[in-house]
Amino acid sequence: MSDAIALETLAGAAVISVVSELARLRVEIFRDWPYLYRGDLEYERNYLAKYADLPDATIVVARVRGRVIGASTALPLARAEPAMQQPFTAAGHVLTDWYYFGESVLEPAYRGRGVGVSFFNAREARAAVLGYHQTTFCAVERPERHRLRPRKYVPLDAFWTKRGYTKRPELMGRFNWQDIDQNAETPHKMIFWTKTLA
């Protein structure tokens, strides 16, 4: 049987059909480094369902033989959570200029096959269709000597730089979640990356 990866860009009510599968995937993938997120399926379902109510939001879904094996999200920064907006408003940016790329998740067996590049391409294409020229995403910053950091971990900075993104340390936010080795939520430093679309 073929294990060809098929991508589909969803928006609006079409998002509902994949909410449960994506919630499961997010909980599984985000337990790994560097997020170490102790996920909750109900929270994830509710979070993802909101995308169905935002016409300008986007979910790019990757499937193999019909099964969801990865996904990537995006939405106008003006419709994102306040914690995502705060670094931009504090720096004097106009929120409505920006299209925010949320998380990308992909099962380990399918990594290294160009899906990450396709996720960026699809979201950038959607941003352009919607009239956006500025895109951004954020990534967690973990201490180099964190006890759960894998020995062979390679940060994605080079990959993002190759996609045309610039790390913007001055655009730094803090997001709360519970790590897998913690008993309560703690703040995490998130650094934004930005790109101006051609």
Side-chain angles (χ1 to χ4, degrees), residues 46-126:
N46 291 335
Y47 166 78
L48 290 163
K50 294 176 183 177
Y51 278 76
D53 298 325
L54 299 174
D56 289 349
T58 305
I59 295 185
V60 184
V61 179
R63 293 187 176 93
V64 170
R65 298 188 295 275
R67 185 176 71 85
V68 175
I69 54 91
S72 194
T73 64
L75 77 165
L77 184 59
R79 302 299 300 272
E81 299 293 326
M84 297 172 187
Q85 299 173 350
Q86 190 278 331
F88 287 80
T89 54
H93 292 286
V94 178
L95 293 180
T96 52
D97 289 345
W98 295 87
Y99 201 60
Y100 172 75
F101 292 175
E103 59 287 318
S104 291
V105 291
L106 184 66
E107 290 184 0
Y110 299 98
R111 294 173 188 169
R113 296 175 55 178
V115 179
V117 173
S118 296
F119 280 160
F120 270 98
N121 290 343
R123 291 180 297 178
E124 288 176 6
R126 172 79 165 145

Side-chain angles (χ1 to χ4, degrees), residues 13 32 38 46 54 67 71 85 90 134 144-145 151 157:
D32 292 338
R38 186 190 296 272
N46 291 335
L54 299 174
R67 185 176 71 85
Q85 299 173 350
Q134 304 289 337
E144 286 286 333
R145 298 191 177 185
R151 285 185 183 177
D157 293 34

Side-chain angles (χ1 to χ4, degrees), residues 123-139:
R123 291 180 297 178
E124 288 176 6
R126 172 79 165 145
V129 165
L130 293 170
Y132 290 92
H133 300 286
Q134 304 289 337
T135 58
T136 186
F137 67 88
C138 61

